[in-house]
Amino acid sequence: MSPAPTSATGQDPAVRLSDVHKSFGTNKVLDGVSFDVPRGSVTTIIGRSGSGKSTALRCIDRFERIDRGEITVCGHRVHEPSLDLRALRLDVGIVFQSYNLFPHLTVEENIILAPTAVKKMPKAEARELARRVLAQVGLEEKLHAYPEQLSGGQQQRGAIARSLAMQPKVMLFDEVTSALDPELTGEVLKVIEQLAADGMTMVLVTHEMAFARGIADQVVFMHRGKVHEIGPAAILSSPATQELAQFVGTGL
Amino acid sequence: MNLNLDFSVVLERWPSLLDGAMVTLQLACIATVAGGAIGILCAIGRRSGPPVVAALCEIYVEGIRNTPLLVQIFLVYFGLASIGLQLSAMTVAALALTINVGAYTTEIVRAGFESINKGQIEAGQGLGLSPAQVYWHVILLPAIERVYPSLTSQFVLLMLASSVTSQISAEELTAVANYIQSDTYRAFETYIVVALIYVVLSLVMRAGFFGIGQLIFPRRRRLGTPL
Amino acid sequence: MGGSLNLNHLLFLLQGAGWTVVLSVLALVGGGILGFAVALCRVSASRAVRLVSGGYVQLIQGTPLLVIMFLTYFGLPAIGFRISPLAAAGASLTIYVGAYLGEIWRGAIQSVPRPQWEAAEGLALSRTQRMTRVILPQAVRIATPPTVGFFVQIIKNTSLASVVGFVELARSGQIINNSLFEPFLIYSIIAVIYFVLCYPLSRLSRRLERRAGQGRGQTLAPA
């Protein structure tokens, strides 16, 4: 487990959301959301479906534009129209619920695509990198397999490796185990735990409460578009609000 | 009734039949390459172009798909003539077939684009790929691989449809057949032979497209499954 | 080259369009009956029947309609069968449409989910009963959008009957053109009439397809 950095270091947080508002039509999804993600720490966002937790995560990588407020990620001012989107996405890796490996490419080709196309890395070097990140997720032997030949868990680990190959400073995980059979979630969670131990800054939206409790330096509980409760993992054991108590109680 | 069939007088003309078959294949190849390119461009125009371009592409596609090739050929032929362009029958034929198959290709590629889900595109964006890179690697290439079977069937149908260009005297296989039958008075035998040549040509084209598919889609070569 | 385009010419074209519709419906009915038989043969329990019907489909789908037209109109008289332009065009289109509709409908029959076949078998229905009571009603729903789409192809394909002298829309245009010699104008009018006949059906086919939730474009057969 990475040590939670204290706010006293004076370092800017990796991710900062301040008073973020976002609506889809008349539906207010984010209603003044603020929280910090210190460098090298793990934040998990929990909450019922529709609470705005996935939207909050997607705003960090600018898959959604916010209506009001500020988001700063590794120095990138995400809320500004002048944002250099490419630079932001070089610093931020994102992994989705539905894996989204490119089906027409092998695992290796999936991994080397962005380093060679975006960073102009020579192919040989990118291949070497692919081997390394696949070893990190325990998938070396699937280098030349196509996504359809892999189980869901293997595909998701491949997607994590693909993201790691861009050497991001922050990684976002959007319910990455929700589409998996229960017996396959373990292998993916283990990979994420290892990343946390290596000191990667991460934000995870998850339904796995035991996992969220185990890995998080900070837990953000969202309810009706607001941060309803925020604190160390211990808040899950002793919720301060009735809503969180209920949420933890139902196990969802 | 007179059922003593004589194929020999037709088969004697094999050099002209071969010439005709080659012209047919040539027309099919030109129209496949040019029409394929037009189709891909129009599909992109319809998906991502400004509204005017998208509308123009749609008018083109619907206009072609809802009128007969025969009429299109005459329109190109007489249209070019009316603005003073005297082109060879072969050029007009290739042009008309290209315009025709371009519209069908647009429709097929568009269906391929629609089959790419949003998550794939977001994954590409999340990796920092530029919009053009996302278009190429995440949308266009997998879409083409997915619709490749429909595309190639369409190109075979185009080869068969090129027989209609005999009506403006393009010297392809059907025109050769018309000439042979009027010369030998063996219409039945001539058209039977020519029909079989067309069957062979479509088998050749299918085999060719299969080979090309194996060559350009490594996934298909290794797994043999549709994408 | 006498006169200019007048109302009589337009009426003549509309009459041709009428024959285009007649021939199209003829081809749909004839080709539909043949195609239905072909589809059933293609899923038959007998291997020989499957092979023969498959060979027929392969042969026709590898031959241009125009060559089939020539074969019936010029070929048959050459071996002693006299045949009128309408009969030649109707027969050619029937043979042609039968192969394509047969394939479309075979696909529809085979895309009725496997469990439906098994459930019908489990109810101890005979093979005929399984077909008529369970499979075909579902196949009809699957087959409707592509069949409507293919009817558009049929309408366009009837234009080839003009080359054997049957006076449908395209041929009417040629006849008028012979006296007016305004080919671009006349073929433009003809194209518009074809479009008016085909476009609503194309739209209908696409709407049905969307409603059926299968996003597959119907893009068979130019010509």
Side-chain angles (χ1 to χ4, degrees):
Chain A
M1 202 76 352
S2 60
T6 57
S7 51
T9 57
Q11 219 181 15
D12 283 339
V15 177
R16 164 166 284 170
L17 281 75
S18 333
D19 194 30
V20 171
H21 292 257
K22 167 81 189 166
S23 300
F24 292 118
T26 57
N27 183 19
K28 206 154 181 37
V29 188
L30 299 180
D31 189 6
V33 170
S34 305
F35 60 86
D36 284 2
V37 178
R39 285 173 201 268
S41 76
V42 177
T43 295
T44 59
I45 308 178
I46 57 172
R48 288 179 215 287
S49 47
S51 61
K53 55 189 193 305
S54 272
T55 305
L57 190 84
R58 289 167 57 80
C59 287
I60 296 173
D61 209 12
R62 236 249 203 142
F63 280 111
E64 312 290 350
R65 289 175 188 226
I66 61 175
D67 303 332
R68 213 172 84 208
E70 293 191 354
I71 298 179
T72 312
V73 179
C74 303
H76 306 289
R77 299 170 63 74
V78 178
H79 52 280
E80 286 183 354
S82 63
L83 169 78
D84 180 349
L85 200 54
R86 182 176 163 279
L88 170 73
R89 289 185 174 155
L90 278 176
D91 283 341
V92 180
I94 185 163
V95 183
F96 301 93
Q97 179 179 338
S98 49
Y99 339 130
N100 288 322
L101 285 176
F102 304 130
H104 61 303
L105 302 178
T106 63
V107 172
E108 182 184 53
E109 289 163 342
N110 260 279
I111 295 173
I112 68 174
L113 174 61
T116 52
V118 181
K119 291 186 170 173
K120 309 293 172 208
M121 185 183 284
K123 247 198 169 128
E125 195 182 325
R127 288 218 177 88
E128 193 42 52
L129 174 66
R131 239 170 289 268
R132 273 209 312 281
V133 291
L134 276 178
Q136 236 177 310
V137 301
L139 214 58
E140 307 97 306
E141 78 281 13
K142 297 296 183 187
L143 192 66
H144 297 298
Y146 284 95
E148 71 189 88
Q149 297 175 295
L150 304 180
S151 72
Q154 290 172 328
Q155 288 192 51
Q156 193 56 294
R157 284 188 281 150
I160 294 173
R162 180 174 69 178
S163 214
L164 283 176
M166 290 301 278
Q167 291 155 329
K169 294 178 184 152
V170 176
M171 286 202 49
L172 311 175
F173 294 84
D174 190 4
E175 303 195 25
V176 290
T177 58
S178 301
L180 295 176
D181 293 334
E183 70 268 22
L184 296 179
T185 58
E187 59 186 71
V188 174
L189 297 182
K190 232 164 63 197
V191 166
I192 299 175
E193 275 164 11
Q194 187 55 48
L195 286 176
D198 295 343
M200 173 67 78
T201 308
M202 300 195 286
V203 184
L204 304 98
V205 169
T206 184
H207 282 140
E208 303 279 337
M209 293 309 293
F211 172 69
R213 187 188 320 238
I215 198 173
D217 301 305
Q218 169 177 263
V219 173
V220 174
F221 172 62
M222 290 195 60
H223 185 68
R224 294 189 175 161
K226 289 182 162 60
V227 176
H228 203 72
E229 210 171 313
I230 183 168
I235 64 167
L236 293 175
S237 319
S238 48
T241 64
Q242 196 191 342
E243 285 79 6
L244 180 56
Q246 226 167 35
F247 181 73
V248 175
T250 58
L252 265 175
Chain B
M1 256 216 346
N2 152 34
L3 260 184
N4 48 348
L5 300 178
D6 182 4
F7 284 94
S8 63
V9 291
V10 178
L11 294 175
E12 266 167 24
R13 305 294 190 97
W14 68 266
S16 347
L17 288 169
L18 189 64
D19 284 348
M22 291 318 285
V23 173
T24 290
L25 272 185
Q26 207 179 326
L27 277 175
C29 286
I30 294 170
T32 294
V33 172
I38 289 176
I40 290 171
L41 288 177
C42 284
I44 293 174
R46 258 180 97 169
R47 181 191 162 89
S48 320
V52 182
V53 173
L56 286 176
C57 291
E58 176 143 12
I59 289 170
Y60 161 57
V61 169
E62 294 300 335
I64 296 298
R65 276 163 45 93
N66 290 293
T67 52
L69 174 61
L70 179 70
V71 174
Q72 292 161 14
I73 290 172
F74 284 138
L75 275 176
V76 172
Y77 186 76
F78 293 117
L80 290 176
S82 72
I83 57 169
L85 270 175
Q86 294 292 344
L87 300 175
S88 72
M90 260 304 269
T91 312
V92 173
L95 199 60
L97 290 172
T98 298
I99 293 171
N100 180 272
V101 81
Y104 287 87
T105 304
T106 305
E107 200 52 18
I108 294 173
V109 173
R110 192 182 61 92
F113 284 173
E114 280 177 6
S115 76
I116 306 292
N117 71 45
K118 202 164 146 265
Q120 288 280 311
I121 296 165
E122 290 192 343
Q125 293 168 338
L127 288 167
L129 298 177
S130 68
Q133 286 168 334
V134 169
Y135 225 116
W136 179 257
H137 292 289
V138 183
I139 301 175
L140 189 59
L141 294 183
I144 300 270
E145 183 172 342
R146 191 162 291 158
V147 299
Y148 187 72
S150 327
L151 273 182
T152 54
S153 314
Q154 193 64 51
F155 295 147
V156 172
L157 288 169
L158 162 83
M159 183 275 291
L160 298 174
S162 72
S163 67
V164 180
T165 63
S166 62
Q167 296 306 300
I168 53 165
S169 312
E171 294 292 314
E172 47 64 72
L173 186 52
T174 303
V176 170
N178 294 344
Y179 181 72
I180 293 178
Q181 72 91 15
S182 70
D183 215 24
T184 61
Y185 300 102
R186 289 284 175 181
F188 188 78
E189 293 90 329
T190 306
Y191 290 119
I192 289 280
V193 168
V194 165
L196 291 176
I197 296 176
Y198 273 110
V199 171
V200 171
L201 287 182
S202 33
L203 291 177
V204 166
M205 274 185 84
R206 270 184 228 170
F209 282 127
F210 178 82
I212 293 171
Q214 298 287 304
L215 206 67
I216 59 179
F217 303 123
R219 199 200 66 87
R220 198 182 151 87
R221 181 169 64 237
R222 275 194 29 215
L223 304 186
T225 53
L227 183 66
Chain C
M1 286 162 237
S4 59
L5 196 69
N6 61 37
L7 191 63
N8 285 334
H9 294 126
L10 288 179
L11 287 175
F12 187 64
L13 283 181
L14 286 182
Q15 195 186 335
W19 282 108
T20 288
V21 172
V22 169
L23 188 56
S24 302
V25 171
L26 219 61
L28 180 68
V29 173
I33 293 168
L34 181 60
F36 185 63
V38 168
L40 289 182
C41 288
R42 295 276 279 137
V43 299
S44 155
S46 150
R47 193 177 140 79
V49 171
R50 286 202 306 268
L51 273 178
V52 170
S53 56
Y56 166 75
V57 169
Q58 287 299 312
L59 209 59
I60 297 303
Q61 291 198 339
T63 309
L65 174 59
L66 187 62
V67 171
I68 301 175
M69 286 278 185
F70 284 148
L71 189 59
T72 47
Y73 188 68
F74 297 116
L76 289 182
I79 57 168
F81 298 95
R82 299 259 141 245
I83 189 165
S84 72
L86 177 60
S92 305
L93 281 162
T94 295
I95 292 168
Y96 183 81
V97 170
Y100 282 89
L101 281 185
E103 266 315 85
I104 292 172
W105 291 347
R106 174 193 63 83
I109 290 173
Q110 287 181 338
S111 63
V112 173
R114 203 72 230 159
Q116 292 290 321
W117 296 72
E118 285 161 3
E121 224 173 322
L123 292 170
L125 297 178
S126 74
R127 189 175 164 81
T128 316
Q129 287 170 326
R130 292 201 298 265
M131 250 326 170
T132 54
R133 303 282 177 80
V134 181
I135 303 303
L136 288 180
Q138 301 187 58
V140 165
R141 211 171 317 151
I142 299 171
T144 303
T147 303
V148 174
F150 190 71
F151 189 51
V152 175
Q153 309 294 342
I154 297 177
I155 295 174
K156 292 187 290 175
N157 279 327
T158 58
S159 66
L160 296 185
S162 64
V163 302
V164 298
F166 179 69
V167 186
E168 40 62 76
L169 179 51
R171 183 79 191 128
S172 319
Q174 281 162 355
I175 292 170
I176 292 177
N177 187 46
N178 286 343
S179 67
L180 294 184
F181 210 73
E182 292 244 33
F184 190 72
L185 171 68
I186 290 166
Y187 281 110
S188 299
I189 296 171
I190 291 172
V192 168
I193 299 176
Y194 274 112
F195 187 85
V196 168
L197 289 176
C198 293
Y199 186 65
L201 287 166
S202 294
R203 286 290 295 267
L204 175 66
S205 155
R206 204 165 305 176
R207 234 200 10 244
L208 292 172
E209 212 164 81
R210 209 158 289 159
R211 197 182 305 161
Q214 344 163 280
R216 297 191 303 135
Q218 173 62 23
T219 36
L220 273 167

